Amino acid sequence: MAEEKTCCMCSQEVTDEEMIAQLDELIGEYIKQPGGLIPALQTVQSRFGYLPESVLLKISRMFDKPYSEVAGVVGFYSFFSTVPRGKYTVRVCLGTACYVRGGKEVLSAMKKELGIDIGETTEDRLFSLDVGRCFGACGLAPVIMVNDDVHQRVNPSKIGEILKAYAVEEPQEEGVAV
Amino acid sequence: MIAPVDKRIQSVKDLKERVRAVGENEVARILVCAGGGCLASGSDKVIDALREEAGIRDLDIEIIATGCMGLCAEGPVILMTDNMTFYQRVHPDDASVIMSEHVQGARTIERLVARDANGERAVPCLNDIDFFQKQTKVVLRNCGRVDPESIDDALEAGVYQALGKTLSELLPNDVIEQIKISGLRGRGGAGFPTWMKWNFTRQTPADLRYMLCNADEGDPGAYMDRSVLEGDPHSLIEGMAIGAYAIGASQGYVYVRAEYPLAVERLQKAIDEANEHGLLGENILGSDFSFNLEIRMGSGAFVCGEETALIASIEGRRGEPRPRPPFPAQKGLWGKPTVLNNVETYANVPSIIGNGADWYAAFGTEKSKGTKVFALAGAVRNTGLVEVPVGTPLGELIYDIGGGIVNNKPFKAAQLGGPSGGCVPKEHLNVPLDYESLSELGAIMGSGGLIVMDDDACMVDVARFFVEFVQEESCGKCVPCRVGTKRMLEILTRICDGQGRIEDIDRLIELGEFIQQGSLCGLGQTAPNPVLSTIRHFREEYVEHIRDRHCRAGVCPSLVRAPCQSACPAGVDIPGFISLVGGKRYSEALQLHRNRNPFASVCARVCFHTCEEKCRRSTLDESVSIRGIKRFMVEQETEMQLPEIRTNAANAAKKIAIVGGGPAGISCAFFLARLGYKPIVFEKEPRPGGMLVQAIPAYRLPRETLAREIRMIERMGVTIETGKALGRDFTISELKEQYDAVFVGIGAPDGIRVDLPGSDTKGVDDAMTFLRQYNIRGSVPVGSNVVVIGGGNAAVDAARTAIRLGAERVTILYRAYARRDAGLCRRDRGSPAGGCPDRIADFS
């Protein structure tokens, strides 16, 4: 589990059928494990970036649980998504310290720059926008994360520069400070 | 998995040999903080650069990526273990000079070391830096000091020795007794006694028990658990193993936030290493005790910080809390007795067992023992992780360790405990940070999130922020939480939008108490706390939002045209007059100012200009010098222009009396005159102006400047009669008979005497009396050695006046934390050369 990343770096399209075909290999070990449903969902989402309905139906059969129960779990936790995510997930921290230091302005600037709202993905599938409640870098508020990269002391007027580094090519530097 | 024999530690005796002896020769090290904050600042590049330079120079030195050292504001930070030099804001380009000068040349690099509080003296040694010296690290003892990815390093530092002692010397009940004597209380929330929870679980008959760790650190603003997980995961493992032995559990789970990928990675590596070394798994250290530990990742639900919700999540279900009893100690994970403690709680356990319960109980207060880790953030200079004994005063944390408020702004409040906690206002800066004292103020210790706020924070908006958070994170199971917080949010939003009603405050209180009583779990029970707390300590701010539609912090967009205008007590249209000045339309600018405040010239000289502290420009570089622009504006008026007067015969026929010719009375007359009235002002003293002539010295406010503006007001139809005293020349009753309306504006002319022994002896005066005598009579006796108590404008005026009157030495005494309020911060323009600052000394 330690090798898994929390954000999907997969950029190519995978069909639902292909996803379903890989499920046995991917999550077979969790079926007999008590409480294995959530780790299984985490693994699948890490692999494919999201959890389409057909995959959830298959998972519920594998775990011998009603679809409503599996869907209820997916709907409950904010980490899970049933729609495709962008290549990069941008998360703006609205924890208390970041909020007090201007997180709201950062979020507004991000929405404007990307042209999407929270929970949405850009048309080119490059960026998804989310809100986080704390990334543990409160001393450097306000903070945003792009996949696993943390950007500190973010200035709303510099949002474009941060995103440009991801839009053009693979980021040359991680943890870019503005 | 069968552990490789060569790594397994077979016995407690073997374990003891793994500790590095004190003074034992060791390779010099450079410890680089790789905590979340420093990583975000680029410490991984610093590590790479240092390793490259060490390779080039073929140096025998280890460069270790450690956990969080605590001082996030100055990251990236590194520690040179040869002489404990601490370098701050290290850039990859510094690697070369660090190697050549420090490592090879044994010289300290001055520009990278910390400075003292005044920024004057270099403080190179870690142990001398206030931020570190004033802390007591128990939980964070290894964070930033050991390689978190090396079990060998942890073993050398003594980790797992307490486990060895436990297995060889203590029975399970002995362990629980030690925890009881230590007084350890849970560090994740309300502070339930840890030993009690363990004992309940142990006493419940069962074939299986579980040891769980809550690392779902959902409180916005708290990241101490992350620090332990990333910086010292082996201490957590050791603490859980000791606890599992005490309660008779063979299986444990750590529930970690998905947002902490590095923490998950390091903890998993640590678990794997511990298994290989026989410190987890079957027959630990050759004993009969076995304990397996696994990670379960959280999936983004704040409510899973609640114990029954967390258990539901591990079981693979929606994280909905369930009613208690039965408590998890009786019926927890998979229906078995279960202990659930916070990361920080477990991290305390090895120290208690290793150093003795009495050692731990010596920290803290009578009822709250040990230390507490706080995540210090917000408007404070030294943001980061701070560990102090429980009971440390809040002010000490913020000012002595935290270095005070950014930009020397005034402290307004601290939010403790995140969305479950409450705020502590500045009147309670002395509150000891323990469970009981904070509870009395409506706050909680919680997990230790501590957000410092200056006067740029709007407490109503902060309350709304927390309720919005809780509303979103509610699991939706019970109505009081789901619907109640929604109603609260609607009310708070209305208030912030300027549509509040005065009964909203009582409605919020009523709703809050109902939600507290009716909710099923801790999330709902504590959700109203931020609202009730802000109403309790900042009720006036709620009233201002509702009654005056005014947000003094300049935060709520509907109520604030511009933050600077919001900060102006008179509500002068600052953006307006500044724009007009920019367009060289000086007379129009002045008229705009006088629409709200007739004393433009006076204020251009003596106003304390709170507007500049709110100026948005300061987020780019510096505040606009609003008062300076105002002064330029008034100086362009060569010929006094009269403000617009709406001639009104009916109003002119009315008779209005104003008692008091100070700023209030004269302003009242001014506004009445603009409406066509012709009021008469009665002033007791020979000259009108009140405090403006009686208290403020002429060198700060030239008399002609004031007289000129008063003449303007007289030309508008106002009559001012001096030498007329209330009670001597007329009474209120008489005025009521003779006039249609009476305005009383007598001001607040008396000073406040200091309640100190000897304050009524000869030679002790209050500033108002002293300044009035000087300004009216032109002279007042003054000694040769003068001490002024206080740091405000009156104090500085008194000090400067005393020097002008011939005092040889003048000393100002004021509180260190109030430095921003001191008149010393501002040199008044036009002040004669050779003025006071050279002769004024200050003692904190």
Side-chain angles (χ1 to χ4, degrees), chain B residues 167-293:
Chain B
L167 295 179
S168 61
E169 297 175 22
L170 301 175
L171 296 174
N173 281 339
D174 297 332
V175 177
I176 295 178
E177 183 66 18
Q178 288 296 299
I179 301 299
K180 179 180 183 182
I181 293 170
S182 75
L184 176 65
R185 296 167 68 166
R187 291 304 196 245
F192 191 81
T194 302
W195 75 273
M196 205 174 284
K197 186 182 278 193
W198 289 13
N199 199 45
F200 287 153
T201 306
R202 173 165 189 82
Q203 299 302 327
T204 305
D207 58 329
L208 271 180
R209 295 192 187 85
Y210 290 101
M211 202 80 191
L212 305 186
C213 176
N214 184 349
D216 190 55
E217 191 172 46
D219 270 14
Y223 54 104
M224 54 286 296
D225 290 352
R226 171 185 187 161
S227 181
V228 174
L229 292 166
E230 291 178 7
D232 191 15
H234 289 287
S235 287
L236 170 63
I237 293 170
E238 184 183 17
M240 288 189 76
I242 294 171
Y245 174 79
I247 70 165
S250 57
Q251 174 70 46
Y253 294 96
V254 185
Y255 189 88
V256 188
R257 292 187 87 201
E259 286 94 337
Y260 289 170
L262 179 60
V264 173
E265 183 183 324
R266 288 203 177 146
L267 181 59
Q268 186 63 62
K269 185 169 195 288
I271 290 173
D272 294 341
E273 283 185 317
N275 275 298
E276 288 169 6
H277 285 72
L279 296 161
L280 278 179
E282 304 300 316
N283 302 111
I284 293 173
L285 293 170
S287 71
D288 294 334
F289 174 61
S290 301
F291 181 57
N292 286 284
L293 191 57

Side-chain angles (χ1 to χ4, degrees), chain B residues 61 67 125 338 348 355 362 365 460 573 608 620 690 704 797 839:
Chain B
I61 188 164
C125 183
T338 300
N348 276 296
N355 295 305
T365 68
V460 185
D573 186 347
F608 51 93
L620 288 176
E704 174 54 27
D797 283 343
R839 305 274 297 271

